[in-house]
Every structure is written in structure tokens, then in C-alpha cells.
Amino acid sequence: MEQDVTLDSENRQAAAAPRPADGRAPRKVFVKTYGCQMNVYDSQRMADALAPQGYESAATPEEADLVLLNTCHIREKAAEKVYSELGRIRQIKEARARAGRDTVIGIAGCVAQAEGSEILRRAPAVDLVVGPQTYHRLPAILSRVAAGEKVVETEHAVEDKFEHLPAGPRRAVAARGVTAFLTVQEGCDKFCTFCVVPYTRGAEVSRPVAQIVAEAERLAAAGVREVTLLGQNVNAWHGAGPDGRAWGLGELLFRLAAVPGLDRLRYTTSHPRDMDDALIAAHRDLDCLMPYLHLPVQAGSDRILKAMNRRHTAADYLRLIERIRAARPDIALSGDFIVGFPGETEADFEATMQLVRTIGYAQAFSFKYSPRPGTPGAELDGHVAEPVKAERLQRLQALLGEQQRAFAEATVGKRIDVLLEKPGRHEGQRVGRSPWLQPVIVDEKAGEIGDIVKVRITEAGANSLFSQPCA
């Protein structure tokens, strides 16, 4: 999924930091996040690491002493966005320098990991490049930058990242929101031929149960009511349990369901091959595990799935969906699709369309295939012409859009629980989330931020549901 996220004042990455002891005004950091939820989580962690150094959140890069771009490398467009943004940040840096103010520019995330010192060559205004496993080293890296060094720090064990995560976050619910991400697994061993993640995030590593539970308890104590467990391959998580054996994700969810104050659990992103019986049982037995599952399939053609190295067939995926729906009939399904993978014929594409028609998705993300340097897919023969990819993507997105609208319209008249997350755009409104992750507009009289309220859905809009409080 590609997104471009600058967190606003309601979900600002950095907490108000203490004023430096020398009486100087606090330094300010602006973090812009591209890509997946893991990057959003990592941006929050970078800010947690910087807060004790006296950094406060900046609303814009123009007022920031430190600008960090947390980058995505999944598609070429996402990577090139970073260099385009760097041109604008460089101009800001030059303008601040003329006013006698220094600006440090840092590149973090998967582009940083993949390109390293090449970033400094292409964008000399950049002062530091830091990979996803080294964010805990930011204070030391910034000290080196202050001494005049250009720093590239991308080599570090992912286990150290988990070991050095700050003990926080200690921010109040008003600063961080009532929902939060919690990383439990990082990296991927699947080596799908289209994907750079195994090269930028490394091998699969799972956090121990004790670390995860401790962070979940801290989040709950700060007022968080819904936690989304994150991993590149989250359902491959097998962390060391307190009993000395490796637990699976299903067992972890049962443990987190017992954390006081945590009322809702979610997880993303999953691989079909790692969806085991215990995890399906968690969907059946845990009311707090929301009935929403993001389970990418990528294509409906067995020939293309084999070329992608997905190691499952379309029939395998369909049988798995049947089992999941038997366990949790109200579950909403989300997926990822790539069109125009090398060698894809019209018949292959039609197989994807047929799979989509069979499943019926509540939400999905779909993209044209983008060759990534260093991946096996980029070396395959039979690359599909851009106009063909664009036309197929348009057809797929039209079908997925119909299904998403149908799912939303099917909620009209239902009585559902909504977690109120923030004020609405218009006076007198609040916005919450349905169990199926849809935004729901609620009258502010229904409750306060952080409340879970019962509402009746009255209308399905283009992007949101509208509701009335239940008596």
C-alpha cells in the first residue's frame, strides 16, 4: 500500500519535550512518513527516541531544525517521491541558513536501507541516512552530524532494534490517540519475486511475548483502547513465550485480550501460508479481535502466482477463506493485487477478476507491477506494456470499488459498536471506526473520544458511514 502521511497535531509523532537545561528554545523535528503502517510506527518510535534530546514536534518543515523523511521502497513511484520532496526540503534548508538557522535533513526507512550512500550522492543536502533497524541510534548519529560528519547507518541487527526500543511511549491519550500500532514481527523470508522487503527489512524476526505484552500494557495505561499488531509477515510471528517455547500469533492474541483496557485488537499484514488453525480459532473465540482481515493474494492465476513465488494456488486461497468465514461469518476481507506482472496474459488477468468476484472484498489495494532493482521479477521476460497494465488496473479497481460500496451499503440499518477516535470535520461531529475499519460519523453527543458507543448506521457515503446513536 502506498500512502503519504504527515501526522497532524492530533497524532503528532513527538511529544512535548522538556526545555533544554541551558535555557535554549526546544529544537523541533518534522517527520514525514511514506508507505506502510510499519513506517508510521517507526516514525513514532524515532520521535520517542528524540524527545529526551529536547525535540518537540514541528507542524511544517519550515519550522523544523531536523527533517526526517521515513521512506518506502515498494514501488518506483514511492522512491522517486522522496527525491522530489528532497528538492523542496533543500530549498527550505537554504532559506533557513540565510536566516542563520541550521537544518539537518535525514532519510530513514526502506529507501535509506536500499540506497545508502547513493542518497548522499544524489542529494548532497542530506546529512544522515538511517535504516529501519537503527532508529534507536538517532541521538548518537545526530551528535556525529553536529560534529560535521555525513552519516550513513544502515548495518545493524534487527534484534537490536527490538532490544533498544524506548520504554515509552509515555504520552497521554490526547497526544497519541486512542488507537496505536505495535510491532511484533519484522522482515520477511518469503522472497516473492516482485518484493524488496526481504532485502530492505531483512529476515523474519519476532519480538518476545514479554516485550509485546509490556508495550501493550503501557499503551493501555496511556489510554489506548485499540492496538494493531504489525509485521511485514505478522502471522509468521513466533515469539519466545514466558514458558520457554515459541508462541504463535493466535496464542499471543489470546494473551493480549487479557490486558486491562485493551478493548480491540487487529493485526496486519498476513500471508496466506501462515494462517494456521490457532489464528483462525482466535477469530472465532475472541470478541475483541475485530472481524477484519487483510490477507493479500496478489493474483488469481496459478501460473502468475508461481512466477511470483507465492507458494500457494488460487484454490488454496479460496479454501482458506472458506475456513475463515466458517469461523467468523461477519468477517470483512481486504487484499492486495498486482496487475501486469511479467508474463501476465489476458487469461491470467481474467483469473484474478474471477477470484475477486468469488471472494467479494470489503476493501482492497491494487497496483500496476513496478519492477524493483535487485528483485527476480525485474529480470523476467514478458514485461507487460504500460497501457495494458493501466487498462487492466482500471477494470480491477472498478470491480473492487463496486464490492467496497456494496459492503458499505450492507451495513445500513445495522447496530454496531464504534470506537470514537477524533473530532469530525464539522462542528458537532465525532469520527470513529467500525469493527470493519470503516470511518463512521457520529453526533458528538454520543460520547467522548475513547468511548465505544452503540450506533445505528443510517447512510453509506463514498468514504464514510453515517450513524445515529442508539437509545
Side-chain angles (χ1 to χ4, degrees):
M1 180 176 64
E2 181 178 322
Q3 56 181 347
D4 189 359
V5 182
T6 304
L7 299 185
D8 60 24
S9 59
E10 293 177 303
N11 196 17
R12 202 65 66 73
Q13 291 103 318
R19 183 174 292 272
D22 60 9
R24 291 181 293 114
R27 292 169 290 185
K28 292 193 173 184
V29 56
F30 177 85
V31 185
K32 185 164 186 173
T33 309
Y34 300 81
C36 65
Q37 293 97 329
M38 182 78 78
N39 271 9
V40 175
Y41 175 89
D42 283 344
S43 291
Q44 292 169 341
R45 283 303 185 180
M46 281 190 275
D48 287 339
L50 291 170
Q53 309 303 312
Y55 281 92
E56 291 182 352
S57 177
T60 66
E62 285 80 3
E63 63 185 70
D65 306 289
L66 170 62
V67 177
L68 293 171
L69 303 184
N70 192 6
T71 62
C72 172
H73 203 252
I74 291 295
R75 281 168 295 281
E76 182 178 10
K77 181 180 177 183
E80 288 305 316
K81 272 187 178 182
V82 175
Y83 287 105
S84 175
E85 181 72 5
L86 277 173
R88 188 174 73 90
I89 301 299
R90 175 183 57 79
Q91 293 176 345
I92 293 171
K93 181 173 184 173
E94 292 170 351
R96 282 173 54 89
R98 290 193 292 270
R101 295 181 293 171
D102 293 332
T103 306
V104 173
I105 300 176
I107 303 298
C110 291
V111 172
Q113 187 69 33
E115 302 194 11
S117 57
E118 174 67 9
I119 293 172
L120 299 183
R121 187 191 69 79
R122 287 187 62 178
V126 172
D127 300 289
L128 65 98
V129 178
V130 55
Q133 320 315 340
T134 52
Y135 298 148
H136 59 281
R137 297 175 60 90
L138 266 175
I141 290 170
L142 288 170
S143 294
R144 292 164 62 187
V145 171
E149 184 179 352
K150 294 269 189 174
V151 180
V152 177
E153 191 78 66
T154 57
E155 298 300 325
H156 218 271
V158 67
E159 295 91 337
D160 290 343
K161 172 183 176 174
F162 290 145
E163 286 293 330
H164 291 90
L165 285 175
R170 302 182 185 277
R171 285 166 278 167
V173 64
R176 70 160 301 110
V178 297
T179 66
F181 295 128
L182 196 169
T183 290
V184 300
Q185 180 270 346
E186 187 158 345
C188 184
D189 294 341
K190 296 298 186 288
F191 287 92
C192 297
T193 57
F194 55 80
C195 188
V196 297
V197 166
Y199 311 101
T200 58
R201 290 279 183 169
E204 290 176 2
V205 176
S206 297
R207 291 179 74 184
V209 173
Q211 279 190 20
I212 296 167
V213 172
E215 184 168 349
E217 289 173 342
R218 287 193 295 269
L219 289 167
V224 169
R225 300 198 67 181
E226 176 180 298
V227 163
T228 300
L229 307 182
L230 294 182
Q232 269 82 35
N233 234 13
V234 69
N235 58 344
W237 177 86
H238 283 87
D243 53 4
R245 61 181 179 83
W247 289 22
L249 186 62
E251 194 167 4
L252 176 65
L253 287 164
F254 275 96
R255 173 63 184 87
L256 292 175
V259 173
L262 284 189
D263 297 286
R264 289 183 165 195
L265 298 173
R266 303 183 189 270
Y267 62 92
T268 196
T269 292
S270 297
H271 193 287
R273 292 181 60 242
D274 294 313
M275 198 82 194
D276 61 16
D277 291 343
L279 186 51
I280 294 173
H283 279 282
R284 181 192 65 212
D285 298 336
L286 291 177
D287 290 338
C288 65
L289 179 57
M290 294 294 96
Y292 178 91
L293 175 61
H294 185 63
L295 192 64
V297 64
Q298 307 298 355
S301 161
D302 288 348
R303 196 176 68 84
I304 296 301
L305 288 170
K306 183 176 181 180
M308 289 177 167
N309 194 36
R310 293 291 290 174
R311 290 182 280 181
H312 63 78
T313 66
D316 293 335
Y317 184 82
L318 290 169
R319 283 192 294 268
L320 178 59
I321 296 301
E322 288 178 0
R323 293 176 56 211
I324 295 167
R325 281 178 163 160
R328 188 70 186 258
D330 64 336
I331 200 161
L333 293 171
S334 172
D336 289 346
F337 294 90
I338 295 172
V339 303
F341 189 78
E344 183 187 73
T345 65
E346 180 62 26
D348 293 321
F349 175 70
E350 178 53 36
T352 296
M353 294 286 281
Q354 185 55 48
L355 182 141
V356 171
R357 294 185 194 105
T358 300
I359 297 294
Y361 287 91
Q363 186 179 13
F365 304 95
S366 53
F367 312 96
K368 293 184 292 185
Y369 172 69
S370 175
R372 307 311 297 129
T375 61
E379 306 301 321
L380 292 176
D381 295 329
H383 282 258
V384 179
E386 283 297 320
V388 175
K389 287 195 284 189
E391 190 274 335
R392 288 177 183 170
L393 181 64
Q394 186 177 31
R395 276 191 278 159
L396 175 61
Q397 290 183 338
L399 175 58
L400 291 168
E402 289 175 9
Q403 293 186 346
Q404 183 171 341
R405 287 190 295 274
F407 183 87
E409 288 167 1
T411 65
V412 174
K414 288 185 177 179
R415 295 161 60 95
I416 66 171
D417 290 331
V418 172
L419 171 60
L420 302 181
E421 295 185 9
K422 60 184 180 181
R425 289 185 179 181
H426 302 291
E427 187 175 353
Q429 291 182 341
R430 299 205 193 283
V431 179
R433 292 281 177 177
S434 78
W436 306 290
L437 207 58
Q438 302 144 301
V440 181
I441 309 302
V442 182
D443 189 294
E444 67 177 0
K445 295 176 183 177
E448 301 300 322
I449 303 301
D451 289 345
I452 296 176
V453 299
K454 183 78 72 175
V455 303
R456 184 176 64 84
I457 303 302
T458 57
E459 181 184 350
N463 300 301
S464 303
L465 302 177
F466 296 86
S467 69
Q468 291 180 347
C470 293

